[in-house]
């Protein structure tokens, strides 16, 4: 028997903090199961992929803003299914939920630490350390996103191919080239991209998931060095689930 067939108590209205494929998948599942859910997106990218059901877009205005929203919308459960590196909104959710005594569930996709090649990669504690680990003559594919570019300015004299979802709104160093693209990125396309630009170093963060994992396999095939930024540690911040079924069980159990 699936969760959708089981007679379980329904949670009250759920706020689903999203912006990820996992959040969209969970939103679809909650809507299908008749659970009242409102998904929240930051509004950072143009043309965001929209989840099923009710959606709101834009920041809440910090902890107080989120608390106001939780009260005004009579939210009874919050699920934080934001990206593993979206640490600000996750911290806000922890504090706001604690203050108004609303249960918080964290939905986090597994990282790439269990990837078969993980032991061969250079693991950096943060983006600055990842930048510092790059060799002087490297040709870099940088895939850590627009907000982290400032941490890589020591690479301003190196050939850096910066993959971004939208065109950068600011000028890049002369030796940097933007590659505007939106995932998922498959192995074949990643291999072509790395070959075309003669990339020898890939910098990524430990986002996990399948949608952006093709570059890791392409890097292995082409002997491209991989530098991975470790993800923030949210251990103990909230009960954590990794699948829709686990999330449903937590919400309805
Ligand atoms: P962040 O640094 O943790 O959040 C910055 C601010 O953006 C938050 O303080 C909040 O503003 C607002 N915000 C973030 N997520 C929100 C949401 N789901 N709903 C409403 N407001 C939100 O987040 P970020 O790293 O910029 O990521 C922004 C969004 O993009 C997240 O929803 C995340 O899931 C998604 N995303 C992020 C990455 C990444 O690599 N970081 C990758 C893919 C997708 P207020 O303080 O005003 O409430």
């Amino acid at each position: 028997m699936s969760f959708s067939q089981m007679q379980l108590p329904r949670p009250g209205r759920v706020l689903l903090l999203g912006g990820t494929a996992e959040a969209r998948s969970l939103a679809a599942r909650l809507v299908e199961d008749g659970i009242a859910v409102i998904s929240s997106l930051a509004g950072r990218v143009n043309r965001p992929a929209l989840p099923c059901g009710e959606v709101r877009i834009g920041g809440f205005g910090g902890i107080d803003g989120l608390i106001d929203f939780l009260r005004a919308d009579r939210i009874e459960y919050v699920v934080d299914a934001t990206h593993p590196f979206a640490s600000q909104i996750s911290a806000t959710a922890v504090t706001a939920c604690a203050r108004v005594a609303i249960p918080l569930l964290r939905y986090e996709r597994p990282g790439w630490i269990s990837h078969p090649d993980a032991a061969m990669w250079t693991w950096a504690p943060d983006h600055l350390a990842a930048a510092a680990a790059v060799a002087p003559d490297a040709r870099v594919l940088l895939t850590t996103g627009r907000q982290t570019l400032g941490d890589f300015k020591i690479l301003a004299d190196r050939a850096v191919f910066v993959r971004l979802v939208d065109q950068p709104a600011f000028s890049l160093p002369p030796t940097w080239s933007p590659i505007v693209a939106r995932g998922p990125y498959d192995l074949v396309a990643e291999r072509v991209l790395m070959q075309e630009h003669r990339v020898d170093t890939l910098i990524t963060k430990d986002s996990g998931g399948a949608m952006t994992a093709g570059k890791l396999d392409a890097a292995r095939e082409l002997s491209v060095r991989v530098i991975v930024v470790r993800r923030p540690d949210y251990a103990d911040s909230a009960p954590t689930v990794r699948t829709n079924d686990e999330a449903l069980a937590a919400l309805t159990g």
Side-chain angles (χ1 to χ4, degrees):
M1 185 187 286
S2 77
F3 275 105
S4 55
Q5 295 165 313
M6 290 166 76
Q7 293 301 308
L8 289 167
R10 305 277 91 179
R13 193 162 155 75
V14 175
L15 173 65
L16 176 54
L17 301 171
T20 58
E22 289 73 20
R24 289 191 292 279
S25 164
L26 181 59
R29 182 70 182 275
L30 296 181
V31 168
E32 186 187 309
D33 278 32
I35 295 173
V37 57
I38 175 165
S39 292
S40 176
L41 306 179
R44 286 281 164 78
V45 297
N46 298 326
R47 300 181 295 106
L50 292 177
C52 293
E54 198 179 335
V55 180
R56 66 163 300 284
I57 299 182
F60 295 98
I63 294 165
D64 291 341
L66 178 55
I67 288 174
D68 289 346
F69 180 89
L70 296 175
R71 288 182 171 142
D73 261 55
R74 299 191 305 282
I75 300 294
E76 292 181 30
Y77 217 126
V78 176
V79 180
D80 176 9
T82 58
H83 190 273
F85 280 80
S87 48
Q88 183 60 56
I89 186 69
S90 294
T92 297
V94 170
T95 307
C97 288
R99 284 203 194 150
V100 291
I102 289 178
L104 171 67
L105 184 67
R106 182 160 176 82
Y107 186 158
E108 189 173 281
R109 67 174 83 143
W112 288 321
I113 193 80
S114 52
H115 188 283
D117 301 341
M120 296 187 305
W121 302 334
T122 301
W123 288 83
D126 54 34
H127 294 88
L128 286 170
V134 174
D137 55 352
R139 294 178 66 82
V140 179
L141 176 59
L142 179 58
T143 65
T144 55
R146 177 182 51 176
Q147 285 167 262
T148 62
L149 292 185
D151 290 341
F152 292 94
K153 54 184 180 214
I154 62 164
L155 304 182
D157 60 346
R158 265 156 279 186
V160 178
F161 303 92
V162 189
R163 183 152 65 198
L164 299 164
V165 174
D166 294 312
Q167 276 290 353
F170 42 85
S171 55
L172 298 174
T175 56
W176 290 25
S177 311
I179 297 172
V180 177
R182 191 179 287 244
Y185 311 102
D186 68 19
L187 168 62
V188 174
E190 297 292 54
R191 190 194 298 131
V192 169
L193 179 74
M194 289 183 196
Q195 284 175 319
E196 194 179 333
H197 297 295
R198 292 180 287 114
V199 165
D200 58 27
T201 303
L202 165 68
I203 305 180
T204 181
K205 54 192 181 195
D206 182 19
S207 298
M211 282 175 66
T212 58
K215 61 191 169 191
L216 301 171
D217 298 326
R220 183 200 326 109
E221 284 184 10
L222 301 172
S223 300
V224 165
R225 181 183 177 207
V226 178
I227 300 174
V228 186
V229 180
R230 287 189 192 282
R231 51 171 66 178
D233 185 6
Y234 298 107
D236 304 332
S237 66
T240 300
V241 294
R242 299 203 182 276
T243 66
N244 284 352
D245 281 350
E246 288 175 9
L248 259 287
L251 287 171
T252 55

